[in-house]
Amino acid sequence: MNAIPQRDVHPGQTSSAGFLDSVDQNFRHAMTFLDLPEGLSDRIMQCNSTYTVRFGVRLRGRMFSFIGWRSVHSEHCEPVKGGIRYASNADAEEVEALAALMTLKCSLVDVPFGGSKGALKIDPREWTPQELERITRRFTQELNKRGLIGPGVNVPAPDIGTGEREMAWMMDEFRRANPTDVINARGCVTGKPLSKGGIAGRTEATGRGVQFAIQSYLRDPRTAGLNGKRDLKGAAVIVQGFGNVGYHAAKFVSEEDGARVTIVAERDGYVTNADGIAVEALKQHQIKTGSILGFEGATSFPGDMSGIEQPCDVLIPAAMENAIHAGNAVRIKAHLVVEAANGPVTFDADKVLRTRGVTILPDLYVNAGGVVVSYFEWVKNLTHIPFGLMERRRRERRNQTIATTLERMTGKEFPADIRDEFLEGGAEIDLVRSGLEDVMRSTWIRIADLIEQQPELSDYRTAAYVASIRQIADAYEAIGI
Ligand code: NAD
């Protein structure tokens, strides 16, 4: 049996009692089920490098200093990939934990990237868009100087506090800094606006993936389902975090799968409606007022952080890491916890929840939709052709021929309500959703099959880690490291 690696404390950092520890403990636990050659487990677990960048930007008539990080966890596959978050509580250890999760996630869903992650220690709400643009462009210059951005080396994406806008600025700055090599420059970041080389469905991708993950779990007869039920109709769902991921997940499970979103919890309190919150109306209220509180279609509980502890069938933590910890895990009343955020359940809380019979769908599977569609976007940027362009009209003509032939043979008209959908040749958004659904479904089967073959793995997180680490180990062994 291999020795289980210990992590070096990051220079200048206190030993983390949080997120990074949880990821490390999950790693170590999974490695007890793998018989890796001496030294390989260290190689897989340790973060290859973490760059700290400090830079100044002249704003509001004075110089402001900023600090940021870009960690490259593993280069067994290149380029490396991972989001950049803007958050005032960001630090190097958090970035390393997130980078490790990216390596595991990419391997689990089989997209050809190593793991990376970045952060800028900044509260974006304190800066105007013009100021944020200057800060983002300076940050991009620093990343570019160190080879930490580029379509073949390192490809950032949105995360907490960043979105399409920041990605467009980064891409533009990268192009300016590399004027003799612009042909593939669009592939230097993903999550861009459509007009700047983005892909249809990227913004919704992580939330859409959360929906596919829940569906895959519920439809699998080998799982316990939801109190024996195999769908979300009428199920009470609590969502924590009403940003990109939380909003889209809430929207899809309520509008398409018939769930009742009974509570949405945010950083300033929660709103509740036992009949189900109108998710889109709540989003419009949040955009207008800057908060979910005061929404007329629900009762507000300002300043109350106990929203996630209320009774429900499914809890979707979609805000930040360590949301469910040893202190509040005993009060969680959900039957199923779906980790849309990265690291929302600590290692200790995971044990408490499982002892209490709560099923957890792990982050590295549940929120992989973002990186899957980022992969599609990157491929689109490198091939320089939108998905489906060459095929679409040909498919439409073929479907038209089938429809006409059926009508002739049966003497009946093709049903009008499904005619358009049948004839449609496949727009980019349809292809993206179909590709994402396929990856999420097949990855679920991989996790569930592994647990069936090795029941001692006992939970979905361990199975996902084991499946992922095994694949990374194979890649390292194949290249002789
Ligand atoms: P976001 O910034 O769009 O939204 C985060 C939301 O959480 C915000 O509305 C914020 O106010 C809220 N929040 C912060 N602290 C909170 C607290 N203590 N309680 C309740 N709400 C709180 O970020 P996002 O892109 O939706 O990311 C959310 C999570 O999903 C993060 O863990 C991120 O790493 C993960 N994730 C995001 C993507 C992506 O494509 N955006 C992909 C994979 C994983």
Side-chain angles (χ1 to χ4, degrees):
M1 179 65 73
N2 56 304
I4 305 303
Q6 301 300 311
R7 179 181 288 277
D8 300 333
V9 175
H10 202 271
Q13 296 276 330
T14 52
S15 173
S16 144
F19 184 24
L20 186 59
D21 271 357
S22 282
V23 174
D24 280 0
Q25 283 168 309
N26 287 324
F27 248 119
R28 288 196 201 102
H29 177 64
M31 279 172 181
T32 60
F33 298 97
L34 289 155
D35 197 13
L36 300 182
E38 193 65 39
L40 186 54
S41 30
D42 283 284
R43 192 75 295 287
I44 293 174
M45 192 172 131
Q46 284 164 354
C47 187
N48 285 5
S49 62
T50 298
Y51 281 89
T52 304
V53 292
R54 291 187 183 83
F55 57 90
V57 186
R58 186 164 286 283
L59 300 161
R60 303 177 190 177
R62 56 160 280 210
M63 182 66 84
F64 284 88
S65 290
F66 297 93
I67 180 165
W69 301 270
R70 186 78 179 156
S71 284
V72 174
H73 177 263
S74 175
E75 289 145 299
H76 71 284
C77 226
E78 282 177 301
V80 293
K81 185 96 191 71
I84 290 195
R85 67 170 54 172
Y86 284 2
S88 48
N89 59 354
D91 63 42
E93 289 201 353
E94 177 192 63
V95 174
E96 287 197 356
L98 288 163
L101 275 180
M102 279 307 294
T103 297
L104 292 165
K105 201 178 298 181
C106 292
S107 166
L108 182 70
V109 296
D110 220 0
V111 297
F113 298 130
S116 182
K117 202 82 183 190
L120 197 56
K121 194 177 179 64
I122 178 180
D123 183 347
R125 292 169 303 180
E126 289 175 0
W127 303 94
T128 65
Q130 292 72 24
E131 290 167 338
L132 277 176
E133 178 173 354
R134 290 186 57 194
I135 297 163
T136 303
R137 286 182 182 276
R138 267 298 274 121
F139 187 32
T140 309
Q141 289 164 12
E142 295 299 320
L143 296 177
N144 183 53
K145 266 194 259 174
R146 292 164 172 80
L148 289 170
I149 182 169
V153 283
N154 196 322
V155 186
D159 196 76
I160 291 178
T162 56
E164 287 189 342
R165 184 183 65 173
E166 286 73 16
M167 297 306 115
W169 291 333
M170 293 186 94
M171 191 265 285
D172 188 57
E173 195 59 34
F174 178 82
R175 280 169 80 118
R176 286 184 195 199
N178 299 276
T180 56
D181 185 21
V182 291
I183 184 146
N184 290 324
R186 285 185 155 190
C188 77
V189 286
T190 57
K192 302 177 291 291
L194 260 180
S195 60
K196 299 278 179 198
I199 193 166
R202 172 59 184 90
T203 307
E204 66 168 44
T206 308
R208 183 65 76 185
V210 173
Q211 178 194 27
F212 290 148
I214 300 173
Q215 288 176 353
S216 301
Y217 164 79
L218 288 178
R219 287 174 188 166
D220 187 338
R222 296 170 291 183
T223 73
L226 203 54
N227 305 322
K229 273 185 66 196
R230 295 276 157 209
D231 61 44
L232 277 177
K233 280 194 191 73
V237 176
I238 295 178
V239 177
Q240 183 196 38
F242 202 54
N244 179 344
V245 179
Y247 155 65
H248 282 107
K251 184 177 169 71
F252 299 143
V253 297
S254 61
E255 291 178 4
E256 297 176 14
D257 296 343
R260 283 176 299 131
V261 175
T262 52
I263 289 182
V264 173
E266 258 289 335
R267 57 171 105 212
D268 50 357
Y270 72 89
V271 294
T272 180
N273 179 341
D275 295 330
I277 293 167
V279 171
E280 192 50 52
L282 179 64
K283 191 69 194 172
Q284 294 315 314
H285 172 86
Q286 187 197 36
I287 292 169
K288 212 162 100 194
T289 66
S291 171
I292 58 167
L293 299 174
F295 174 55
E296 60 181 23
T299 310
S300 298
F301 288 86
D304 189 334
M305 302 317 281
S306 70
I308 60 168
E309 297 169 13
Q310 306 308 314
C312 66
D313 297 304
V314 182
L315 170 60
I316 307 180
M320 70 300 159
E321 56 265 19
N322 299 344
I324 303 171
H325 45 80
N328 65 2
V330 284
R331 298 196 294 275
I332 299 296
K333 298 175 189 79
H335 300 287
L336 180 66
V337 172
V338 181
E339 295 186 332
N342 281 308
V345 178
T346 66
F347 185 77
D348 293 335
D350 181 285
K351 274 195 271 183
V352 176
L353 291 180
R354 283 191 291 113
T355 312
R356 296 179 51 235
V358 180
T359 302
I360 303 169
L361 301 185
D363 48 5
L364 69 159
Y365 168 57
V366 171
N367 69 32
V371 75
V372 171
V373 176
S374 276
Y375 169 52
F376 300 157
E377 180 178 332
W378 179 75
V379 170
K380 175 182 170 180
N381 294 152
L382 298 190
T383 54
H384 302 271
I385 186 163
F387 285 111
L389 181 72
M390 307 289 275
E391 278 279 292
R392 192 160 170 214
R393 301 294 167 211
R394 195 181 69 85
R395 246 190 255 130
E396 270 178 18
R397 273 198 299 278
R398 195 193 53 199
N399 293 350
Q400 180 69 61
T401 309
I402 295 171
T404 313
T405 310
L406 280 172
E407 284 177 338
R408 273 197 209 146
M409 284 168 66
T410 59
K412 291 182 183 155
E413 270 198 24
F414 207 86
D417 54 335
I418 55 168
R419 190 181 185 92
D420 285 353
E421 197 188 329
F422 180 75
L423 294 185
E424 227 269 319
E428 187 172 80
I429 184 72
D430 301 317
L431 299 174
V432 165
R433 282 189 191 148
S434 150
L436 174 59
E437 183 169 3
D438 186 62
V439 174
M440 294 306 290
R441 279 208 218 177
S442 55
T443 304
W444 172 259
I445 290 168
R446 195 168 163 212
I447 297 169
D449 282 355
L450 187 59
I451 256 197
E452 199 171 43
Q453 289 151 16
Q454 284 184 263
E456 68 277 15
L457 297 177
S458 80
D459 65 279
Y460 298 122
R461 188 189 314 281
T462 307
Y465 267 69
V466 166
S468 170
I469 296 171
R470 202 171 269 159
Q471 181 146 315
I472 299 165
D474 288 348
Y476 271 116
E477 292 202 273
I479 52 179
I481 295 176

